[in-house]
mmCIF file of all heavy atoms in Angstrom:
data_model
loop_
_atom_site.group_PDB
_atom_site.id
_atom_site.type_symbol
_atom_site.label_atom_id
_atom_site.label_comp_id
_atom_site.label_asym_id
_atom_site.label_seq_id
_atom_site.Cartn_x
_atom_site.Cartn_y
_atom_site.Cartn_z
ATOM 1 N N LEU A 179 -20.913 6.103 35.706
ATOM 2 C CA LEU A 179 -20.151 6.058 34.498
ATOM 3 C C LEU A 179 -20.609 4.918 33.589
ATOM 4 O O LEU A 179 -20.651 5.096 32.341
ATOM 5 C CB LEU A 179 -18.672 5.897 34.814
ATOM 6 C CG LEU A 179 -17.695 5.888 33.647
ATOM 7 C CD1 LEU A 179 -17.597 7.256 32.982
ATOM 8 C CD2 LEU A 179 -16.326 5.460 34.089
ATOM 9 N N LEU A 180 -20.949 3.790 34.175
ATOM 10 C CA LEU A 180 -21.245 2.603 33.389
ATOM 11 C C LEU A 180 -22.616 2.665 32.721
ATOM 12 O O LEU A 180 -22.907 1.879 31.843
ATOM 13 C CB LEU A 180 -21.158 1.377 34.284
ATOM 14 C CG LEU A 180 -19.866 1.143 35.028
ATOM 15 C CD1 LEU A 180 -19.934 -0.124 35.852
ATOM 16 C CD2 LEU A 180 -18.716 1.069 34.072
ATOM 17 N N ALA A 181 -23.449 3.611 33.146
ATOM 18 C CA ALA A 181 -24.798 3.689 32.616
ATOM 19 C C ALA A 181 -24.833 4.535 31.285
ATOM 20 O O ALA A 181 -25.828 4.513 30.599
ATOM 21 C CB ALA A 181 -25.731 4.360 33.627
ATOM 22 N N GLY A 182 -23.762 5.200 30.990
ATOM 23 C CA GLY A 182 -23.716 6.114 29.824
ATOM 24 C C GLY A 182 -23.690 5.323 28.517
ATOM 25 O O GLY A 182 -23.096 4.264 28.405
ATOM 26 N N ARG A 183 -24.314 5.908 27.504
ATOM 27 C CA ARG A 183 -24.266 5.385 26.127
ATOM 28 C C ARG A 183 -23.731 6.505 25.197
ATOM 29 O O ARG A 183 -24.071 7.697 25.358
ATOM 30 C CB ARG A 183 -25.634 4.938 25.633
ATOM 31 C CG ARG A 183 -26.193 3.750 26.396
ATOM 32 C CD ARG A 183 -27.436 3.205 25.667
ATOM 33 N NE ARG A 183 -28.139 2.232 26.427
ATOM 34 C CZ ARG A 183 -29.145 1.497 25.970
ATOM 35 N NH1 ARG A 183 -29.562 1.698 24.718
ATOM 36 N NH2 ARG A 183 -29.754 0.663 26.740
ATOM 37 N N VAL A 184 -22.923 6.109 24.241
ATOM 38 C CA VAL A 184 -22.455 7.079 23.279
ATOM 39 C C VAL A 184 -23.622 7.483 22.349
ATOM 40 O O VAL A 184 -24.541 6.685 22.127
ATOM 41 C CB VAL A 184 -21.262 6.567 22.440
ATOM 42 C CG1 VAL A 184 -20.100 6.212 23.367
ATOM 43 C CG2 VAL A 184 -21.680 5.375 21.622
ATOM 44 N N THR A 185 -23.593 8.695 21.871
ATOM 45 C CA THR A 185 -24.642 9.178 20.980
ATOM 46 C C THR A 185 -24.243 9.200 19.537
ATOM 47 O O THR A 185 -25.064 9.431 18.642
ATOM 48 C CB THR A 185 -25.081 10.630 21.391
ATOM 49 O OG1 THR A 185 -23.956 11.496 21.255
ATOM 50 C CG2 THR A 185 -25.572 10.636 22.833
ATOM 51 N N GLN A 186 -22.970 8.936 19.284
ATOM 52 C CA GLN A 186 -22.452 8.893 17.912
ATOM 53 C C GLN A 186 -21.291 7.922 17.859
ATOM 54 O O GLN A 186 -20.676 7.667 18.858
ATOM 55 C CB GLN A 186 -22.064 10.252 17.434
ATOM 56 C CG GLN A 186 -21.171 11.017 18.417
ATOM 57 C CD GLN A 186 -21.215 12.508 18.172
ATOM 58 O OE1 GLN A 186 -21.659 13.033 17.172
ATOM 59 N NE2 GLN A 186 -20.629 13.254 19.096
ATOM 60 N N ALA A 187 -21.028 7.395 16.666
ATOM 61 C CA ALA A 187 -19.949 6.421 16.493
ATOM 62 C C ALA A 187 -18.948 6.988 15.502
ATOM 63 O O ALA A 187 -19.166 6.908 14.267
ATOM 64 C CB ALA A 187 -20.493 5.093 16.022
ATOM 65 N N ALA A 188 -17.842 7.516 16.002
ATOM 66 C CA ALA A 188 -16.855 8.167 15.124
ATOM 67 C C ALA A 188 -16.240 7.172 14.158
ATOM 68 O O ALA A 188 -15.789 7.558 13.067
ATOM 69 C CB ALA A 188 -15.763 8.786 15.975
ATOM 70 N N TRP A 189 -16.226 5.862 14.510
ATOM 71 C CA TRP A 189 -15.585 4.880 13.637
ATOM 72 C C TRP A 189 -16.355 4.724 12.331
ATOM 73 O O TRP A 189 -15.857 4.133 11.349
ATOM 74 C CB TRP A 189 -15.386 3.556 14.353
ATOM 75 C CG TRP A 189 -16.563 2.970 15.061
ATOM 76 C CD1 TRP A 189 -16.810 3.044 16.397
ATOM 77 C CD2 TRP A 189 -17.646 2.181 14.492
ATOM 78 N NE1 TRP A 189 -17.990 2.383 16.737
ATOM 79 C CE2 TRP A 189 -18.500 1.822 15.602
ATOM 80 C CE3 TRP A 189 -17.951 1.776 13.216
ATOM 81 C CZ2 TRP A 189 -19.665 1.051 15.405
ATOM 82 C CZ3 TRP A 189 -19.095 0.968 13.048
ATOM 83 C CH2 TRP A 189 -19.958 0.647 14.088
ATOM 84 N N ARG A 190 -17.563 5.240 12.236
ATOM 85 C CA ARG A 190 -18.320 5.181 11.011
ATOM 86 C C ARG A 190 -17.825 6.198 9.979
ATOM 87 O O ARG A 190 -18.198 6.120 8.796
ATOM 88 C CB ARG A 190 -19.809 5.384 11.278
ATOM 89 C CG ARG A 190 -20.473 4.178 11.953
ATOM 90 C CD ARG A 190 -21.953 4.248 11.863
ATOM 91 N NE ARG A 190 -22.565 3.015 12.385
ATOM 92 C CZ ARG A 190 -22.806 1.938 11.696
ATOM 93 N NH1 ARG A 190 -22.375 1.866 10.412
ATOM 94 N NH2 ARG A 190 -23.325 0.875 12.210
ATOM 95 N N SER A 191 -17.004 7.143 10.444
ATOM 96 C CA SER A 191 -16.575 8.194 9.510
ATOM 97 C C SER A 191 -15.096 8.516 9.554
ATOM 98 O O SER A 191 -14.589 9.312 8.745
ATOM 99 C CB SER A 191 -17.327 9.495 9.764
ATOM 100 O OG SER A 191 -17.141 9.969 11.110
ATOM 101 N N LYS A 192 -14.355 7.859 10.423
ATOM 102 C CA LYS A 192 -12.904 8.078 10.587
ATOM 103 C C LYS A 192 -12.151 6.745 10.377
ATOM 104 O O LYS A 192 -12.617 5.711 10.818
ATOM 105 C CB LYS A 192 -12.556 8.643 11.952
ATOM 106 C CG LYS A 192 -13.272 9.981 12.312
ATOM 107 C CD LYS A 192 -12.674 11.124 11.518
ATOM 108 C CE LYS A 192 -13.398 12.422 11.840
ATOM 109 N NZ LYS A 192 -12.995 13.065 13.111
ATOM 110 N N PRO A 193 -10.954 6.802 9.794
ATOM 111 C CA PRO A 193 -10.104 5.576 9.658
ATOM 112 C C PRO A 193 -9.847 5.040 11.072
ATOM 113 O O PRO A 193 -9.513 5.776 12.012
ATOM 114 C CB PRO A 193 -8.780 6.115 9.047
ATOM 115 C CG PRO A 193 -9.214 7.351 8.304
ATOM 116 C CD PRO A 193 -10.314 7.976 9.115
ATOM 117 N N SER A 194 -10.031 3.734 11.215
ATOM 118 C CA SER A 194 -9.961 3.110 12.570
ATOM 119 C C SER A 194 -8.991 1.948 12.586
ATOM 120 O O SER A 194 -8.832 1.228 11.591
ATOM 121 C CB SER A 194 -11.347 2.654 12.986
ATOM 122 O OG SER A 194 -12.280 3.711 13.009
ATOM 123 N N PHE A 195 -8.363 1.784 13.749
ATOM 124 C CA PHE A 195 -7.358 0.765 13.939
ATOM 125 C C PHE A 195 -7.628 0.093 15.337
ATOM 126 O O PHE A 195 -8.091 0.726 16.240
ATOM 127 C CB PHE A 195 -5.944 1.389 13.981
ATOM 128 C CG PHE A 195 -5.569 2.046 12.655
ATOM 129 C CD1 PHE A 195 -6.084 3.306 12.352
ATOM 130 C CD2 PHE A 195 -4.733 1.448 11.770
ATOM 131 C CE1 PHE A 195 -5.798 3.951 11.171
ATOM 132 C CE2 PHE A 195 -4.444 2.080 10.556
ATOM 133 C CZ PHE A 195 -4.939 3.302 10.282
ATOM 134 N N TYR A 196 -7.376 -1.232 15.356
ATOM 135 C CA TYR A 196 -7.702 -1.964 16.613
ATOM 136 C C TYR A 196 -6.579 -2.966 16.946
ATOM 137 O O TYR A 196 -6.151 -3.706 16.088
ATOM 138 C CB TYR A 196 -9.031 -2.712 16.454
ATOM 139 C CG TYR A 196 -9.702 -3.060 17.758
ATOM 140 C CD1 TYR A 196 -10.846 -2.442 18.155
ATOM 141 C CD2 TYR A 196 -9.141 -4.031 18.619
ATOM 142 C CE1 TYR A 196 -11.482 -2.754 19.399
ATOM 143 C CE2 TYR A 196 -9.730 -4.350 19.809
ATOM 144 C CZ TYR A 196 -10.902 -3.710 20.195
ATOM 145 O OH TYR A 196 -11.468 -4.020 21.445
ATOM 146 N N ALA A 197 -6.187 -2.921 18.230
ATOM 147 C CA ALA A 197 -5.221 -3.969 18.709
ATOM 148 C C ALA A 197 -5.960 -4.890 19.673
ATOM 149 O O ALA A 197 -6.427 -4.492 20.787
ATOM 150 C CB ALA A 197 -4.076 -3.250 19.483
ATOM 151 N N VAL A 198 -6.139 -6.135 19.241
ATOM 152 C CA VAL A 198 -6.798 -7.160 20.032
ATOM 153 C C VAL A 198 -5.750 -7.816 20.960
ATOM 154 O O VAL A 198 -4.710 -8.247 20.530
ATOM 155 C CB VAL A 198 -7.422 -8.230 19.120
ATOM 156 C CG1 VAL A 198 -7.956 -9.393 19.986
ATOM 157 C CG2 VAL A 198 -8.498 -7.634 18.265
ATOM 158 N N SER A 199 -6.131 -7.924 22.242
ATOM 159 C CA SER A 199 -5.276 -8.659 23.185
ATOM 160 C C SER A 199 -5.775 -10.095 23.263
ATOM 161 O O SER A 199 -6.855 -10.347 23.801
ATOM 162 C CB SER A 199 -5.316 -8.015 24.560
ATOM 163 O OG SER A 199 -4.573 -6.828 24.597
ATOM 164 N N THR A 200 -5.034 -11.064 22.775
ATOM 165 C CA THR A 200 -5.480 -12.407 22.634
ATOM 166 C C THR A 200 -5.599 -13.133 23.986
ATOM 167 O O THR A 200 -6.324 -14.121 24.129
ATOM 168 C CB THR A 200 -4.641 -13.228 21.704
ATOM 169 O OG1 THR A 200 -3.292 -13.341 22.237
ATOM 170 C CG2 THR A 200 -4.555 -12.600 20.333
ATOM 171 N N GLU A 201 -4.853 -12.664 25.021
ATOM 172 C CA GLU A 201 -4.893 -13.292 26.340
ATOM 173 C C GLU A 201 -5.691 -12.462 27.339
ATOM 174 O O GLU A 201 -5.466 -12.578 28.545
ATOM 175 C CB GLU A 201 -3.455 -13.525 26.838
ATOM 176 C CG GLU A 201 -2.526 -14.222 25.833
ATOM 177 C CD GLU A 201 -3.090 -15.549 25.366
ATOM 178 O OE1 GLU A 201 -3.483 -16.333 26.245
ATOM 179 O OE2 GLU A 201 -3.138 -15.794 24.137
ATOM 180 N N ASP A 202 -6.560 -11.621 26.839
ATOM 181 C CA ASP A 202 -7.296 -10.678 27.668
ATOM 182 C C ASP A 202 -8.292 -11.393 28.578
ATOM 183 O O ASP A 202 -9.083 -12.228 28.137
ATOM 184 C CB ASP A 202 -8.015 -9.674 26.819
ATOM 185 C CG ASP A 202 -8.307 -8.373 27.501
ATOM 186 O OD1 ASP A 202 -8.718 -8.416 28.663
ATOM 187 O OD2 ASP A 202 -8.193 -7.320 26.867
ATOM 188 N N ARG A 203 -8.277 -11.055 29.879
ATOM 189 C CA ARG A 203 -9.197 -11.618 30.843
ATOM 190 C C ARG A 203 -10.111 -10.474 31.462
ATOM 191 O O ARG A 203 -10.733 -10.700 32.470
ATOM 192 C CB ARG A 203 -8.418 -12.345 31.959
ATOM 193 C CG ARG A 203 -7.702 -13.569 31.489
ATOM 194 C CD ARG A 203 -6.733 -14.138 32.509
ATOM 195 N NE ARG A 203 -7.369 -14.490 33.783
ATOM 196 C CZ ARG A 203 -7.920 -15.694 33.996
ATOM 197 N NH1 ARG A 203 -7.918 -16.640 33.083
ATOM 198 N NH2 ARG A 203 -8.491 -15.981 35.196
ATOM 199 N N THR A 204 -10.097 -9.326 30.727
ATOM 200 C CA THR A 204 -10.904 -8.234 31.183
ATOM 201 C C THR A 204 -12.014 -7.918 30.195
ATOM 202 O O THR A 204 -13.132 -7.602 30.541
ATOM 203 C CB THR A 204 -10.057 -6.984 31.468
ATOM 204 O OG1 THR A 204 -9.077 -7.308 32.481
ATOM 205 C CG2 THR A 204 -10.906 -5.791 31.926
ATOM 206 N N ILE A 205 -11.639 -7.875 28.864
ATOM 207 C CA ILE A 205 -12.610 -7.786 27.784
ATOM 208 C C ILE A 205 -12.403 -9.034 26.888
ATOM 209 O O ILE A 205 -11.283 -9.264 26.436
ATOM 210 C CB ILE A 205 -12.470 -6.519 26.957
ATOM 211 C CG1 ILE A 205 -12.779 -5.290 27.839
ATOM 212 C CG2 ILE A 205 -13.407 -6.519 25.750
ATOM 213 C CD1 ILE A 205 -12.714 -3.972 27.057
ATOM 214 N N ASN A 206 -13.472 -9.777 26.655
ATOM 215 C CA ASN A 206 -13.356 -11.018 25.915
ATOM 216 C C ASN A 206 -12.703 -10.776 24.554
ATOM 217 O O ASN A 206 -13.123 -9.870 23.828
ATOM 218 C CB ASN A 206 -14.753 -11.643 25.712
ATOM 219 C CG ASN A 206 -14.742 -12.968 25.074
ATOM 220 O OD1 ASN A 206 -14.398 -13.112 23.918
ATOM 221 N ND2 ASN A 206 -15.141 -13.968 25.816
ATOM 222 N N PRO A 207 -11.643 -11.497 24.219
ATOM 223 C CA PRO A 207 -10.934 -11.298 22.918
ATOM 224 C C PRO A 207 -11.846 -11.442 21.714
ATOM 225 O O PRO A 207 -11.692 -10.739 20.718
ATOM 226 C CB PRO A 207 -9.834 -12.356 22.911
ATOM 227 C CG PRO A 207 -9.567 -12.611 24.372
ATOM 228 C CD PRO A 207 -10.921 -12.477 25.051
ATOM 229 N N ASP A 208 -12.822 -12.406 21.790
ATOM 230 C CA ASP A 208 -13.745 -12.536 20.649
ATOM 231 C C ASP A 208 -14.681 -11.334 20.522
ATOM 232 O O ASP A 208 -15.053 -10.954 19.363
ATOM 233 C CB ASP A 208 -14.528 -13.814 20.780
ATOM 234 C CG ASP A 208 -13.741 -15.072 20.494
ATOM 235 O OD1 ASP A 208 -12.771 -14.950 19.709
ATOM 236 O OD2 ASP A 208 -14.093 -16.148 21.025
ATOM 237 N N LEU A 209 -15.024 -10.703 21.625
ATOM 238 C CA LEU A 209 -15.789 -9.439 21.548
ATOM 239 C C LEU A 209 -14.959 -8.399 20.915
ATOM 240 O O LEU A 209 -15.464 -7.582 20.103
ATOM 241 C CB LEU A 209 -16.253 -9.057 22.959
ATOM 242 C CG LEU A 209 -16.918 -7.707 23.115
ATOM 243 C CD1 LEU A 209 -18.124 -7.542 22.194
ATOM 244 C CD2 LEU A 209 -17.288 -7.432 24.561
ATOM 245 N N GLN A 210 -13.677 -8.300 21.248
ATOM 246 C CA GLN A 210 -12.779 -7.334 20.652
ATOM 247 C C GLN A 210 -12.747 -7.593 19.129
ATOM 248 O O GLN A 210 -12.810 -6.639 18.336
ATOM 249 C CB GLN A 210 -11.380 -7.454 21.229
ATOM 250 C CG GLN A 210 -11.284 -7.079 22.672
ATOM 251 C CD GLN A 210 -9.881 -7.212 23.253
ATOM 252 O OE1 GLN A 210 -8.925 -6.871 22.565
ATOM 253 N NE2 GLN A 210 -9.742 -7.713 24.443
ATOM 254 N N ARG A 211 -12.620 -8.806 18.730
ATOM 255 C CA ARG A 211 -12.561 -9.128 17.279
ATOM 256 C C ARG A 211 -13.809 -8.739 16.601
ATOM 257 O O ARG A 211 -13.794 -8.203 15.465
ATOM 258 C CB ARG A 211 -12.301 -10.656 17.103
ATOM 259 C CG ARG A 211 -10.923 -11.093 17.580
ATOM 260 C CD ARG A 211 -10.682 -12.575 17.287
ATOM 261 N NE ARG A 211 -9.362 -12.965 17.774
ATOM 262 C CZ ARG A 211 -9.142 -13.701 18.866
ATOM 263 N NH1 ARG A 211 -10.178 -14.074 19.635
ATOM 264 N NH2 ARG A 211 -7.926 -14.021 19.223
ATOM 265 N N PHE A 212 -14.977 -9.010 17.235
ATOM 266 C CA PHE A 212 -16.257 -8.608 16.666
ATOM 267 C C PHE A 212 -16.326 -7.094 16.415
ATOM 268 O O PHE A 212 -16.693 -6.600 15.351
ATOM 269 C CB PHE A 212 -17.409 -9.033 17.534
ATOM 270 C CG PHE A 212 -18.721 -8.382 17.207
ATOM 271 C CD1 PHE A 212 -19.462 -8.832 16.137
ATOM 272 C CD2 PHE A 212 -19.160 -7.267 17.897
ATOM 273 C CE1 PHE A 212 -20.665 -8.213 15.786
ATOM 274 C CE2 PHE A 212 -20.392 -6.667 17.567
ATOM 275 C CZ PHE A 212 -21.112 -7.126 16.485
ATOM 276 N N MET A 213 -15.952 -6.320 17.415
ATOM 277 C CA MET A 213 -16.031 -4.826 17.326
ATOM 278 C C MET A 213 -15.037 -4.337 16.247
ATOM 279 O O MET A 213 -15.395 -3.479 15.477
ATOM 280 C CB MET A 213 -15.754 -4.213 18.658
ATOM 281 C CG MET A 213 -16.839 -4.482 19.684
ATOM 282 S SD MET A 213 -16.597 -3.611 21.293
ATOM 283 C CE MET A 213 -15.169 -4.482 21.941
ATOM 284 N N ALA A 214 -13.856 -4.931 16.211
ATOM 285 C CA ALA A 214 -12.892 -4.499 15.217
ATOM 286 C C ALA A 214 -13.383 -4.812 13.810
ATOM 287 O O ALA A 214 -13.249 -3.982 12.843
ATOM 288 C CB ALA A 214 -11.534 -5.186 15.459
ATOM 289 N N LYS A 215 -13.976 -5.997 13.632
ATOM 290 C CA LYS A 215 -14.469 -6.371 12.307
ATOM 291 C C LYS A 215 -15.663 -5.502 11.879
ATOM 292 O O LYS A 215 -15.776 -5.083 10.718
ATOM 293 C CB LYS A 215 -14.868 -7.841 12.292
ATOM 294 C CG LYS A 215 -15.385 -8.338 10.951
ATOM 295 C CD LYS A 215 -15.692 -9.847 11.007
ATOM 296 C CE LYS A 215 -16.164 -10.310 9.623
ATOM 297 N NZ LYS A 215 -16.465 -11.784 9.679
ATOM 298 N N ARG A 216 -16.551 -5.234 12.861
ATOM 299 C CA ARG A 216 -17.714 -4.421 12.517
ATOM 300 C C ARG A 216 -17.359 -3.019 12.048
ATOM 301 O O ARG A 216 -17.998 -2.491 11.148
ATOM 302 C CB ARG A 216 -18.609 -4.337 13.830
ATOM 303 C CG ARG A 216 -19.846 -3.461 13.610
ATOM 304 C CD ARG A 216 -20.794 -3.548 14.761
ATOM 305 N NE ARG A 216 -20.248 -2.962 16.001
ATOM 306 C CZ ARG A 216 -20.963 -2.764 17.096
ATOM 307 N NH1 ARG A 216 -22.237 -3.117 17.132
ATOM 308 N NH2 ARG A 216 -20.405 -2.242 18.192
ATOM 309 N N MET A 217 -16.331 -2.439 12.632
ATOM 310 C CA MET A 217 -15.910 -1.079 12.272
ATOM 311 C C MET A 217 -14.997 -1.110 11.006
ATOM 312 O O MET A 217 -14.622 -0.082 10.521
ATOM 313 C CB MET A 217 -15.247 -0.335 13.385
ATOM 314 C CG MET A 217 -13.878 -0.858 13.752
ATOM 315 S SD MET A 217 -13.037 0.209 15.018
ATOM 316 C CE MET A 217 -14.024 -0.130 16.458
ATOM 317 N N GLY A 218 -14.646 -2.321 10.559
ATOM 318 C CA GLY A 218 -13.710 -2.385 9.447
ATOM 319 C C GLY A 218 -12.351 -1.911 9.738
ATOM 320 O O GLY A 218 -11.621 -1.306 8.904
ATOM 321 N N ALA A 219 -11.899 -2.071 10.991
ATOM 322 C CA ALA A 219 -10.647 -1.519 11.438
ATOM 323 C C ALA A 219 -9.467 -2.275 10.897
ATOM 324 O O ALA A 219 -9.526 -3.519 10.654
ATOM 325 C CB ALA A 219 -10.551 -1.557 12.979
ATOM 326 N N GLU A 220 -8.339 -1.575 10.698
ATOM 327 C CA GLU A 220 -7.055 -2.230 10.485
ATOM 328 C C GLU A 220 -6.669 -2.861 11.808
ATOM 329 O O GLU A 220 -6.588 -2.169 12.802
ATOM 330 C CB GLU A 220 -6.019 -1.195 10.067
ATOM 331 C CG GLU A 220 -4.684 -1.761 9.661
ATOM 332 C CD GLU A 220 -4.692 -2.430 8.301
ATOM 333 O OE1 GLU A 220 -5.499 -2.016 7.454
ATOM 334 O OE2 GLU A 220 -3.829 -3.296 8.096
ATOM 335 N N THR A 221 -6.529 -4.170 11.810
ATOM 336 C CA THR A 221 -6.431 -4.883 13.114
ATOM 337 C C THR A 221 -5.148 -5.668 13.236
ATOM 338 O O THR A 221 -4.707 -6.316 12.298
ATOM 339 C CB THR A 221 -7.639 -5.847 13.235
ATOM 340 O OG1 THR A 221 -8.860 -5.139 13.105
ATOM 341 C CG2 THR A 221 -7.601 -6.538 14.574
#
């Protein structure tokens, strides 16, 4: 499962929203912020 890569990015064409977990110890919160900002998500 971990080897797969997406072939398209729906966030480039659909309205996107992101909830960052500031105390996250599973996905780095700064990485979450980067991805949310890159997609222009309402965060």
